[in-house]
Amino acid sequence: MLNKLRVTAAVAEAGVVAVLRADSAEEVVRMARHAVKGGIKAIEITMTVPGALRAIEQLAAEYSSKADPASDKHAIIGVGTVLDPETARAAILAGAEFVVAPAFNPDTIKLCNRYAVPILPGAMTIHEIQSALELGVDIVKLFPGSVYEPSVISAIKGPLPQANVMPTGGVSLGNLREWVKAGAVAVGIGGDLTKEAVKTGDFSLIERQAAAYVQAYRDAKAQ
């Protein structure tokens, strides 16, 4: 259980989670390395990537949340787009330190709790968020965030002030500050982090974009 709390705290401390999708395991590993170089320390490899488990295993061998935070080997490698407990277990065995799902699935949450691995299930309603909390979830992914305004977090925290909410989908450099000031515990960044790199083939753009997001997050937290 202490490991679950430690990793959850590390994700919240990182503040920005890179949600990485690619056409191959090799490509997503390159994306992850550039994101980490840019300062994003929480990496989510989605199961839509062909060979995703192979990529997770490789990245988990390179990075760890247990490494010195000042080290270039410090990062938290997780898995995303997890639809069922079987997939969650396979990813955990491959080295994933946290699990992210697009929707609320009680069986997946129970599996992750069994192995003391943090899970961030997707939710859109107060009912789903409350149900997740009742099953021991520490951070709920508000997904897709693009259908909401940042003020929705304040509305959620009215009846559920204990809920830690991470919006994903629709978060940009332009609105990140609003999400953080509204009470987001962290934010998930997907296509906006990688689309230019994929288009041009210049993966160093991921590093620069990652640095911009990390700085924007720090600025928002400091205000």
Side-chain angles (χ1 to χ4, degrees):
M1 185 59 68
L2 289 178
N3 181 68
K4 179 186 176 185
L5 295 175
R6 180 185 62 78
V7 175
T8 300
V11 171
E13 177 67 23
V16 179
V17 178
V19 182
L20 302 181
R21 302 182 187 277
D23 293 329
S24 69
E26 293 72 23
E27 185 178 48
V28 84
V29 166
R30 287 181 61 202
M31 288 179 174
R33 288 170 178 159
H34 281 284
V36 172
K37 283 183 180 179
I40 295 180
K41 297 301 184 178
I43 305 296
E44 175 189 331
I45 305 300
T46 67
M47 285 302 296
T48 55
V49 177
L53 294 179
R54 188 169 71 252
I56 291 168
E57 187 171 9
Q58 183 173 346
L59 290 167
E62 294 181 27
Y63 303 102
S64 172
S65 64
K66 295 179 181 178
D68 184 338
S71 165
D72 59 4
K73 297 301 181 184
H74 173 74
I76 317 154
I77 306 302
V79 61
T81 320
V82 173
L83 305 182
D84 49 56
E86 293 81 6
T87 302
R89 181 60 176 150
I92 291 168
L93 289 173
E97 292 193 82
F98 66 96
V99 174
V100 184
F104 175 74
N105 183 311
D107 289 336
T108 302
I109 294 171
K110 291 174 184 176
L111 181 283
C112 291
N113 285 340
R114 183 179 304 140
Y115 296 102
V117 173
I119 177 166
L120 291 69
M124 291 186 71
T125 67
I126 290 291
H127 174 71
E128 289 178 329
I129 295 171
Q130 178 178 324
S131 297
L133 293 175
E134 290 170 353
L135 286 174
V137 169
D138 295 302
I139 299 177
V140 176
K141 181 176 81 166
L142 183 67
F143 181 77
S146 57
V147 304
Y148 296 103
E149 296 293 331
S151 59
V152 71
I153 294 183
S154 299
I156 290 169
K157 285 183 169 290
L160 299 174
Q162 72 276 27
N164 294 311
V165 180
M166 183 183 80
T168 302
V171 179
S172 68
L173 285 171
N175 64 21
L176 185 148
R177 179 183 178 281
E178 295 177 61
W179 282 109
V180 173
K181 301 312 288 184
V185 69
V187 295
I189 308 298
D192 193 48
L193 184 66
T194 61
K195 62 184 178 183
E196 289 302 317
V198 172
K199 187 186 301 182
T200 64
D202 181 2
F203 277 47
S204 68
L205 294 174
I206 296 174
E207 189 173 333
R208 284 179 241 168
Q209 191 76 337
Y213 269 105
V214 170
Q215 189 59 54
Y217 181 81
R218 289 174 178 168
D219 290 345
K221 292 290 286 185
Q223 292 173 359

